[in-house]
Amino acid sequence: MKLHGFLALLALATLASPCPAAAQSPAVPVMGFLNIGSSRQFAPFLKAFHNGLEAAGFAEGRNLAIEYRWAEGNYDLVREQAADLVRRRVVLIVATGGTGTALAAKNATGSIPVLFLAGADPVAEGLVASFNRPGGNVTGVTLYTSALVSKRLEKLRDLLPGAATMAFLVNPKTVTAAGETEDVEKAARAAGLKVLVIDASAEDDLRAAFASATQNGIAAMLVSADPFFTRKRAQIVGLAAEHRLPVAYPWRQYVAAGGLMSYGPSISGAYCQIGDYAGRILKGAKPEELPVQIPTRFELVINLTTAKALGLEVPIPLQVTADEVIGEERDRSGDREAAGPGDSRTAARQHPCEAR
């Protein structure tokens, strides 16, 4: 009887113990995703981020869990959300939507890896020690948009050679405002232009900003690459049309929404890159071993329908050099045929995991 009792107890203990395979099954990593905007506004970019993750071998719900935090434009909230992700002990924080979000994540932790996606110089803003050797727990992708101000100004002058005054729309509450304004003023002086800096940091400011540009006889406008403006791009494009003001933007998403022209890197491509970097860190790479990525491709996008509505004739050379023409058919020049968003030149340069 004693033997039978012992065997019965042994059998129960065996059933209660986890099998070796279950005991060795690794937990799904939980990553934090922090953004200053909203999920609706950044949905196309989030898709590109997932494309990058999948290219690196990770898919949400399969071998990865993601804690999303959307700050809806509130920088105080984004700092609280960064701290919350640290308390939850996520394995990685992906901080997107601008330098302010990146700094919030960096300041919240010195140990959890942080990947940023921002438009300013990450060295000058104190995010990393250098591009090639970031140091610490932070690295990422910079869109480096402020360095492209002079190029956007040049493209706008190609379209409006007689313009003498331009406005620059900037959000004074962001950490990059002063540096970006300085870059614009320097580029304008080099081009022999007068520039009017117009501040806007809330939705109500936008209408007043365009009214001010009209009242001051401004010929055209440049829009900052600030995430607040990206979120409000539909309203900004509408105000530009209402005031019949030619505007150059940093991203193609404005032009797709009806804006006149843009010149800059692909945001979707950058989100894809950050997804790929996230995959590398999940596989064991250290942030300090991953150089800060910079754009390798820049897009000139023109909306011919908007140009026509503004009474502007887009020069043939400008059309030919454009990566994408939206709206009416592109004019023919030489052996190059009219092409739209799906032309072969655009497709050939498409990032392998980019989703516009």
Side-chain angles (χ1 to χ4, degrees), residues 206 210 223 229 232-245 247 249 251-261 303 306 310:
L206 294 174
F210 276 86
V223 171
F229 298 136
K232 299 298 180 183
R233 58 186 177 272
Q235 182 181 355
I236 290 172
V237 166
L239 286 168
E242 179 183 329
H243 288 266
R244 296 186 57 79
L245 186 66
V247 181
Y249 305 98
W251 322 118
R252 73 173 294 281
Q253 282 73 21
Y254 286 94
V255 187
L260 175 61
M261 67 184 300
N303 192 317
T306 302
L310 292 170

Side-chain angles (χ1 to χ4, degrees), residues 138-159:
V138 180
T139 190
V141 176
T142 177
L143 293 165
Y144 223 52
T145 51
S146 60
L148 298 174
V149 166
S150 60
K151 195 69 175 178
R152 276 195 290 276
L153 194 61
E154 174 190 319
K155 298 298 182 184
L156 199 51
R157 284 295 299 275
D158 289 343
L159 186 59

Side-chain angles (χ1 to χ4, degrees), residues 67-138:
E67 287 275 345
Y68 295 97
R69 296 293 184 274
W70 302 94
E72 306 287 344
N74 186 331
Y75 279 99
D76 291 331
L77 178 59
V78 86
R79 287 187 283 272
E80 295 173 12
Q81 291 173 332
D84 179 57
L85 290 173
V86 172
R87 286 192 297 269
R88 291 175 181 270
R89 298 182 180 178
V90 294
V91 298
L92 165 67
I93 298 176
V94 177
T96 61
T99 304
T101 309
L103 288 170
K106 175 183 169 69
N107 293 336
T109 178
S111 57
I112 297 173
V114 172
L115 284 176
F116 65 81
L117 196 162
D121 181 342
V123 177
E125 297 299 334
L127 285 169
V128 294
S130 72
F131 278 78
N132 290 331
R133 297 181 181 276
N137 63 317
V138 180

Side-chain angles (χ1 to χ4, degrees), residues 8 17 42 87 105 120 129 221 227 239 328:
S17 300
F42 281 80
R87 286 192 297 269
M221 178 185 285
L239 286 168
E328 298 189 358

Side-chain angles (χ1 to χ4, degrees), residues 156-345:
L156 199 51
R157 284 295 299 275
D158 289 343
L159 186 59
L160 299 162
T165 58
M166 289 194 184
F168 177 55
L169 185 66
V170 64
N171 179 359
K173 293 185 177 181
T174 60
V175 294
T176 59
E180 199 171 3
T181 299
E182 184 179 344
D183 290 336
V184 169
E185 291 176 334
K186 181 179 178 181
R189 285 195 300 270
L193 293 170
K194 291 182 179 178
V195 61
L196 173 67
V197 177
I198 303 178
D199 293 340
S201 57
E203 189 169 344
D204 291 343
D205 296 338
L206 294 174
R207 182 165 291 279
F210 276 86
S212 175
T214 301
Q215 291 164 7
N216 283 279
I218 297 299
M221 178 185 285
L222 294 172
V223 171
S224 163
D226 187 77
F228 165 65
F229 298 136
T230 305
R231 297 196 306 275
K232 299 298 180 183
R233 58 186 177 272
Q235 182 181 355
I236 290 172
V237 166
L239 286 168
E242 179 183 329
H243 288 266
R244 296 186 57 79
L245 186 66
V247 181
Y249 305 98
W251 322 118
R252 73 173 294 281
Q253 282 73 21
Y254 286 94
V255 187
L260 175 61
M261 67 184 300
S262 67
Y263 183 81
S266 165
I267 307 182
S268 293
Y271 270 85
C272 181
Q273 282 182 297
I274 210 72
D276 177 71
Y277 255 25
R280 294 195 203 184
I281 289 178
L282 290 170
K283 290 177 179 178
K286 293 179 170 54
E288 63 204 49
E289 300 169 348
L290 299 174
V292 175
Q293 294 289 307
I294 60 175
T296 57
R297 181 168 74 90
F298 302 94
E299 305 171 319
L300 172 62
V301 186
I302 301 171
N303 192 317
L304 291 182
T305 302
T306 302
K308 183 177 181 180
L310 292 170
L312 299 174
E313 185 74 29
V314 180
I316 298 298
L318 197 58
Q319 293 189 45
V320 170
T321 57
D323 296 272
E324 183 178 355
V325 170
I326 294 175
E328 298 189 358
E329 186 175 311
R330 179 198 295 259
D331 289 337
R332 300 173 184 266
S333 177
D335 294 332
R336 288 187 175 181
E337 293 189 356
D343 74 33
S344 60
R345 294 185 301 119

